[in-house]
Amino acid sequence: MPKAYEEIADDLRRAIRGGELTPGARLPSETELARRHRRSVPTVQNALRLLSAEGLIDKRHGSGTFVRRPRTRAVRDNERHQWEKNRALMPEATRAKTGATERETGLVVDDLVFFARYRQLAAPADLADGFGVPKGTVLLERTYRTRHSAETAPFSLVTSYLVRDMIAANPDLLDETNEPWPGGTQNQLRTVGIEVDRVEERFTARPPTPEEARELDLPAGTSVILLRKRSYDIRDRIVDITAVTLPGDRTELLFTTHLERW
């Protein structure tokens, strides 16, 4: 037999999914819900905690509890890298019309708000080992955030590293004001004669840090997906190391493997 708080949660869940309570709608106060259901306020609070953990509601301090607005979903597939490589050869006007985020979300350029920050740093041991360069080699660290203009949280948290000397022949690649760069990293590398040959990606998952949960605006109990990517050029050098943190509540990973015919 369901517990009292589960019955209240079921009632509110039906109202949300049935459209009686629409996205952004404010729920009645805890006292009013307790009165309606003839239960105690602590029982109502348990029900609301359950719905919050499911990502259906948001509790805003001093404002009340609201039906959570659905976030734009992103479908990230393993065919994106060839798509990006093909796109890197296209004219700038064509490259400027769309990017990987638009491809994954179905949005258009005007729907997006983009942020980039660059800084140069001495490679710590782990990144130096990753690139196969001496510790202290100068790297370019690039931090990216892209979000839907109607939302406050980005689609992911992205930090990318390049070896400065590999790209220094094109000073434009060191300037964050040139972002968003039409054609992305593969086109940027192409301007200095680097062709990406293959991309290696490793995925893991874990609970978010408090900072990640806040920046991605994650519902309680939602995990993040960690993507660690290494791009190799046709000379078998690692030319890009990227760390991506993806929100587990609105990211789908799609892997398609084309098999050779007998």
Side-chain angles (χ1 to χ4, degrees):
M1 183 174 180
K3 296 179 180 179
Y5 77 89
E6 292 174 331
E7 293 177 349
I8 297 172
D10 285 343
D11 184 60
L12 292 171
R13 192 183 294 110
R14 281 192 295 269
I16 292 170
R17 291 178 174 167
E20 182 182 341
L21 289 171
T22 57
R26 182 175 179 175
L27 271 63
S29 69
E30 294 174 357
T31 302
E32 174 60 18
L33 287 172
R35 185 189 65 79
R36 290 185 187 182
H37 291 274
R38 298 181 181 179
R39 300 291 182 180
S40 67
V41 169
T43 299
V44 168
Q45 291 172 337
N46 286 335
L48 296 180
R49 274 193 286 270
L50 181 60
L51 296 178
S52 178
E54 294 174 8
L56 293 177
I57 62 173
D58 286 318
K59 188 169 184 178
R60 304 174 195 168
H61 183 69
S63 299
T65 303
F66 298 81
V67 178
R68 187 176 178 87
R69 296 183 184 278
R71 301 299 178 82
T72 303
R73 294 187 63 82
V75 180
R76 186 184 184 101
D77 65 52
N78 60 321
E79 297 185 335
R80 63 176 277 158
H81 306 301
Q82 185 61 58
W83 179 84
E84 289 179 320
K85 185 169 184 176
N86 295 343
R87 180 167 160 267
L89 299 176
M90 295 177 181
E92 182 175 350
T94 303
R95 285 185 276 116
K97 290 179 181 178
T98 189
T101 300
E102 294 93 311
R103 179 177 180 272
E104 293 175 353
T105 62
L107 300 173
V108 298
V109 172
D110 290 343
D111 291 329
L112 303 176
V113 177
F114 180 85
F115 167 83
R117 183 180 67 242
Y118 285 10
R119 72 179 180 119
Q120 296 184 36
L121 76 161
D126 59 336
L127 287 171
D129 289 345
F131 279 111
V133 299
K135 182 179 177 181
T137 297
V138 178
L139 304 180
L140 181 67
E141 179 188 77
R142 309 179 302 168
T143 300
Y144 298 114
R145 301 288 186 269
T146 305
R147 64 175 175 85
H148 191 315
S149 58
E151 299 173 3
T152 58
F155 296 110
S156 59
L157 312 178
V158 183
T159 305
S160 167
Y161 297 93
L162 305 173
V163 176
R164 187 189 186 283
D165 284 350
M166 281 190 185
I167 60 171
N170 183 356
D172 287 345
L173 302 186
L174 304 175
D175 186 353
E176 66 186 33
T177 64
N178 290 320
E179 295 281 7
W181 186 284
T185 297
Q186 291 211 42
N187 182 268
Q188 290 174 317
L189 294 174
R190 180 173 182 263
T191 69
V192 290
I194 296 174
E195 178 183 353
V196 175
D197 176 71
R198 68 187 190 278
V199 178
E200 175 187 275
E201 295 181 301
R202 297 175 184 269
F203 293 90
T204 56
R206 61 162 169 75
T209 66
E211 293 78 10
E212 291 166 342
R214 182 171 58 252
E215 188 168 1
L216 292 169
D217 194 15
L218 296 174
T222 302
S223 294
V224 290
I225 304 166
L226 305 180
L227 162 61
R228 298 296 178 262
K229 183 182 77 170
R230 293 185 177 188
S231 299
Y232 295 76
D233 72 355
I234 58 176
R235 296 166 55 188
D236 209 35
R237 300 178 300 175
I238 294 178
V239 294
D240 173 38
I241 295 177
T242 298
V244 184
T245 303
L246 300 159
D249 65 326
R250 50 193 182 272
T251 302
E252 179 181 344
L253 302 177
L254 172 63
F255 298 97
T256 302
T257 303
H258 297 283
L259 304 180
E260 293 183 7
R261 296 187 180 183
W262 287 326

